[in-house]
Amino acid sequence: MWTADWWWDVQVGALAGMMVCFADVASDKTQLSQFQGDKKAWPVYLTLGNISKEIRRRPSAHATILLGYLPVAKLDCYTDATRSLAGYRLFHYCMTQILAPLVKAGQEGVETICADGFIRLLYIILAAYIADYPEQCLVACCMENRCPRCIVDPNSRG
């Protein structure tokens, strides 16, 4: 990602003394145990796109940090008709809370000391959200196995 043309376009538009940092957020609902019920966790991770993927993907590099956990709630207090919508709203509310500091850093910038010793204004931009297909649908607010653009009924597809 750090070699993409859009990356260079954003950095060229930056003023002198500014630095742009691209953040990648990833999440994946995880089954913790099958022996004592259905224990699940939903971690949200953050890594920087400025780091090459060969380094970023190595666990020993410690290039990924845990931002927090999303609640995995059964929402039994809702009816079957409203439970999924409540789950969507809960997910988006929690992600808004978790990513609020990132949004603020992207809008106002954060002063940081760079490796060369100079203080620069760092702007963090969310560049990618990495998730499996069900979570991609959740993030995009579209139903699974439905295309947000197509008007063909899912039961009418070949």
Side-chain angles (χ1 to χ4, degrees):
M1 174 175 62
W2 53 279
T3 59
D5 289 338
W6 68 270
W7 184 294
W8 292 110
D9 293 341
V10 170
Q11 288 188 347
V12 166
L15 301 173
M18 276 177 54
M19 193 169 78
V20 180
C21 181
F22 296 94
D24 298 342
V25 173
S27 67
D28 192 15
K29 192 185 295 187
T30 305
Q31 184 82 24
L32 295 178
S33 171
Q34 294 184 357
F35 299 111
Q36 292 188 349
D38 53 351
K39 305 288 186 214
K40 296 180 183 178
W42 201 339
V44 179
Y45 297 101
L46 174 77
T47 187
L48 299 179
N50 300 51
I51 303 170
S52 69
K53 74 177 181 180
E54 288 79 19
I55 296 171
R56 222 180 333 151
R57 298 291 179 221
R58 280 193 306 215
S60 61
H62 303 288
T64 302
I65 62 166
L66 177 67
L67 285 181
Y69 288 99
L70 298 175
V72 181
K74 294 183 182 180
L75 302 174
D76 291 336
C77 57
Y78 290 93
T79 64
D80 290 342
T82 60
R83 187 174 297 129
S84 63
L85 180 60
Y88 299 153
R89 288 182 176 165
L90 178 62
F91 172 85
H92 284 276
Y93 175 77
C94 292
M95 287 303 291
T96 300
Q97 298 302 309
I98 288 176
L99 296 177
L102 187 68
V103 171
K104 185 178 179 187
Q107 292 172 342
E108 300 174 7
V110 177
E111 284 190 350
T112 187
I113 300 173
C114 289
D116 58 6
F118 289 103
I119 296 175
R120 291 197 171 81
L121 197 55
L122 175 68
Y123 286 87
I124 301 172
I125 297 173
L126 180 61
Y129 190 99
I130 303 163
D132 57 9
Y133 182 71
E135 288 181 24
Q136 289 176 11
C137 292
L138 179 60
V139 170
C141 299
C142 65
M143 296 179 69
E144 283 186 47
N145 300 324
R146 306 270 171 101
C147 176
R149 297 187 67 197
C150 295
I151 56 173
V152 177
D153 184 73
N155 298 325
S156 301
R157 288 186 245 157

